[in-house]
Amino acid sequence: MATIPPGTRQRCTLCKVEIQGGAGGNDLVHFSQGAPGSRAKLWARVCQYLRTPEQCGQCLNQDLSQRGEVSANDYYAEAPVLELPSFPGPNPLG
């Protein structure tokens, strides 16, 4: 996949994120929710799950040299464990 010129944006036809070209290859990914991130974060959360050659051919983030190193912080975090209080009385679940 060709690089995205600095200051321009391209939209992925699969996941609909926009990737804004940055100077020196430091592209910025605009997700539908939350703060912008890196191509590595996009790979960790979305692109790695593509399976077919057709899907991979449409993805803007398949080139390892453009996405960079994926870190542990790029993946979604585990959901926190919620401690719910006990309430006296009959148990409605049985």
Side-chain angles (χ1 to χ4, degrees), residues 9-38:
R9 288 187 181 194
Q10 286 187 2
R11 181 181 295 268
C12 179
T13 58
L14 289 175
C15 66
K16 308 300 184 206
V17 301
E18 287 189 349
I19 301 176
Q20 179 177 346
N26 294 320
D27 296 346
L28 194 60
V29 177
H30 296 275
F31 296 99
S32 61
Q33 296 288 315
S38 66

Side-chain angles (χ1 to χ4, degrees), residues 8-91:
T8 63
R9 288 187 181 194
Q10 286 187 2
R11 181 181 295 268
C12 179
T13 58
L14 289 175
C15 66
K16 308 300 184 206
V17 301
E18 287 189 349
I19 301 176
Q20 179 177 346
N26 294 320
D27 296 346
L28 194 60
V29 177
H30 296 275
F31 296 99
S32 61
Q33 296 288 315
S38 66
R39 282 180 175 258
K41 183 175 277 192
L42 177 61
W43 173 262
R45 296 183 176 192
V46 180
C47 307
Q48 70 166 322
Y49 298 107
L50 300 178
R51 296 291 178 235
T52 67
E54 181 184 36
Q55 289 174 329
C56 293
Q58 294 176 45
C59 180
L60 291 179
N61 199 31
Q62 290 296 305
D63 187 343
L64 176 62
S65 68
Q66 290 183 25
R67 76 172 165 260
E69 194 73 27
V70 178
S71 73
N73 292 334
D74 291 327
Y75 296 94
Y76 284 116
E78 290 291 321
V81 175
L82 300 176
E83 296 291 332
L84 300 176
S86 298
F87 293 102
N91 183 351

